[in-house]
Amino acid sequence: MDGTDEAGVGTDGRLRRAMTAVRRERRRTADELEAFRAFEDRVRAIDAETTTARGGSTVSVAAVRSQPTSGLRRVRQAYETTVMSVPHYVEEYDDTYVESLQGEFSPDIASALTDGTNFNERCRQATLSAASEAQSSRELLVGALDSERESLQEVTEELRPVIEEVADLAARSYAEESFGSLDAYRARLHVLEEHCDDVAAGRQASLFEQRRARWLPSSAPDIACYVYQAEAFDYPVMSTVAELTERIRTVRATVERAMARCRP
């Protein structure tokens, strides 16, 4: 570990925690995607029901207020053993069956599946459509998380040598250096700061592209706020770059003070 890790700047600090968060969210999203696929498959295997009155006439669904039919019970069992059985369900959601249906599908579908009516064809198709939409949103999220992971990897590779060089420069004593050497150090620190600016600009562009994808819920403005909401930071790259830039400026000020005391 380098000396900057204690301050949360090094590649084993904030950026590493961010990468762990991305991988965790990606794994959970993939688990949910597979769960909704399995749920859809099970629902397709459940036949639609009709309610028949005496004499063979079909009774409207609204007229039936009995216990859940076999079809509705099978749907619930399918949902609970797939969607509600992902490893992280209790930790992240801990919803009831009805609450989960309302959040994942819609209040109307939740009502149709839990109000005691039968599992008719209209309800069956609506459930299948909602399950398909849930899969599509998670497929988009998996892609966005893969992009975020790649972005973090690239940034970490770009910043690692800068972090190490700045740590080395910060540990130096400049009292006995010549004016020419000090001027060279100052120039190098300017180059390192410009590199940080380039990394920040690239990251901003990446976040802008992610916003354009519009796959996130309206409450989350971008991938960073969505993935890192449980962390002490929202924007790990930008905060790391800002802290590193401040450190560069501090070292440069030290070099410039030495230059002021040194004769050319």
Side-chain angles (χ1 to χ4, degrees):
M1 294 173 65
D2 59 58
T4 62
D5 286 335
E6 293 181 0
V9 174
T11 53
D12 287 331
R14 190 182 295 115
L15 294 178
R16 187 175 67 174
R17 294 198 301 274
M19 182 65 76
T20 298
V22 171
R23 287 172 174 162
R24 180 178 61 247
E25 189 64 30
R26 207 273 186 195
R27 182 178 63 252
R28 291 183 172 188
T29 304
D31 286 344
E32 291 177 14
L33 173 58
E34 290 304 315
F36 275 108
R37 284 174 176 165
F39 172 69
E40 182 180 356
D41 288 342
R42 294 191 187 186
V43 172
R44 289 192 183 281
I46 302 174
D47 294 331
E49 299 171 325
T50 59
T51 301
T52 304
R54 294 178 181 177
S57 61
T58 300
V59 179
S60 66
V61 171
V64 180
R65 295 296 173 188
S66 59
Q67 293 298 314
T69 62
S70 174
L72 292 174
R73 289 195 299 270
R74 290 176 65 190
V75 170
R76 177 167 186 158
Q77 182 183 35
Y79 194 87
E80 290 177 339
T81 56
T82 56
V83 177
M84 295 180 69
S85 292
V86 292
H88 60 278
Y89 187 83
V90 173
E91 179 183 351
E92 186 160 335
Y93 302 109
D94 199 22
D95 290 337
T96 65
Y97 176 57
V98 175
E99 290 170 340
S100 184
L101 289 175
Q102 291 174 338
E104 293 292 351
F105 296 164
S106 72
D108 288 342
I109 293 177
S111 177
L113 292 174
T114 60
D115 67 0
T117 66
N118 67 351
F119 188 56
N120 65 2
E121 183 61 28
R122 181 177 179 182
C123 182
R124 182 176 182 274
Q125 290 303 318
T127 303
L128 289 171
S129 178
S132 180
E133 289 178 6
Q135 293 170 59
S136 296
S137 66
R138 282 162 176 79
E139 287 171 350
L140 289 173
L141 180 52
V142 166
L145 290 168
D146 286 342
S147 295
E148 174 68 0
R149 181 178 58 190
E150 292 172 5
S151 177
L152 281 178
Q153 289 173 336
E154 291 173 1
V155 166
T156 299
E157 291 172 3
E158 286 187 81
L159 288 182
R160 182 183 294 116
V162 178
I163 291 169
E164 293 173 352
E165 187 171 355
V166 172
D168 180 66
L169 291 171
R172 285 179 177 271
S173 173
Y174 297 96
E176 304 301 325
E177 296 284 353
S178 67
F179 186 90
S181 294
L182 292 170
D183 192 42
Y185 285 128
R186 181 175 63 175
R188 180 56 185 166
L189 287 162
H190 273 296
V191 171
L192 293 175
E193 184 174 352
E194 289 175 351
H195 185 69
C196 287
D197 290 342
D198 290 340
V199 171
R203 178 61 173 176
Q204 288 282 30
S206 176
L207 291 175
F208 179 75
E209 285 300 314
Q210 291 168 359
R211 290 189 189 101
R212 291 179 60 188
R214 297 183 179 179
W215 54 267
L216 286 168
S218 58
S219 59
D222 54 39
I223 185 73
C225 285
Y226 179 79
V227 176
Y228 310 121
Q229 56 187 308
E231 302 292 339
F233 48 79
D234 288 334
Y235 298 94
V237 174
M238 303 307 291
S239 56
T240 296
V241 169
E243 189 172 336
L244 183 56
T245 298
E246 183 62 28
R247 184 162 299 181
I248 290 171
R249 291 172 179 172
T250 298
V251 177
R252 188 168 65 235
T254 300
V255 171
E256 290 172 345
R257 285 195 295 271
M259 292 176 70
R261 295 191 296 266
C262 181
R263 293 183 179 181

